[in-house]
Amino acid sequence: MSQHYRIGAARRGVSDPSYRHLQRAFDGNGLRPYPPCHVSARRQVGGDYDIGWIRRTRIDGDTWDGLEVPLGEESESYLVQIHKNGLLIREAQVGTPHWTYDLAAQTSDGISAPFAVKIAQISASYGAGLFERLLIES
């Protein structure tokens, strides 16, 4: 969407000939979801990793009234990726701020620590936002 701007000296009216009119469109990064925060992983007794995070919001998140910030999206969705040595090994889309990387999947992927978990919030209007990364070392 294009925006119209009139740029000039504050002491003069916007109709003054010294003012310039500009019309600009931007690529929409203002719609990009923020990366999740406080990513954590706990290895369970059976070898599964329970991975959790806290979502962030771009919309109506300035109030401290509730326990969680408003979703600000059509639906809650995250993209979770497992990386080893810079290669994407596994990818999953989940609807809650939690995902379990079970031992069977780890075995199937042929993966062991260290590896990285990357998580991005997904927006219906933008797609996946920026990723937050957590290195699993044991």
Side-chain angles (χ1 to χ4, degrees):
M1 171 188 273
S2 286
Q3 297 288 323
H4 294 268
Y5 300 93
R6 300 235 354 121
I7 301 168
R11 294 182 298 252
R12 298 181 183 185
V14 294
S15 61
D16 189 270
S18 65
Y19 267 72
R20 292 180 38 204
H21 173 259
L22 300 173
Q23 183 178 351
R24 298 285 187 265
F26 300 96
D27 61 5
N29 277 345
L31 300 175
R32 179 175 56 199
Y34 294 138
C37 62
H38 302 291
V39 179
S40 64
R42 289 195 175 134
R43 187 162 194 176
Q44 302 302 310
V45 174
D48 296 353
Y49 285 96
D50 284 333
I51 301 164
W53 56 90
I54 296 175
R55 73 169 184 246
R56 295 173 63 200
T57 188
R58 299 173 290 105
I59 301 167
D60 297 329
D62 294 332
T63 179
W64 291 75
D65 294 340
L67 296 174
E68 285 193 31
V69 295
L71 180 58
E73 302 292 345
E74 291 177 20
S75 63
E76 189 168 8
S77 186
Y78 305 93
L79 183 60
V80 181
Q81 296 180 338
I82 301 296
H83 291 258
K84 177 79 173 183
N85 299 324
L87 299 174
L88 177 62
I89 304 298
R90 178 175 291 267
E91 188 171 73
Q93 189 169 332
V94 297
T96 61
H98 178 265
W99 181 68
T100 300
Y101 191 24
D102 62 51
L103 186 58
Q106 294 171 51
T107 303
S108 172
D109 294 343
I111 202 163
S112 60
F115 61 90
V117 178
K118 292 183 177 183
I119 302 146
Q121 290 183 190
I122 299 174
S123 164
S125 60
Y126 186 91
L130 297 172
F131 283 88
E132 183 65 27
R133 181 180 182 271
L134 176 68
L135 181 62
I136 307 291
E137 296 187 276
S138 61

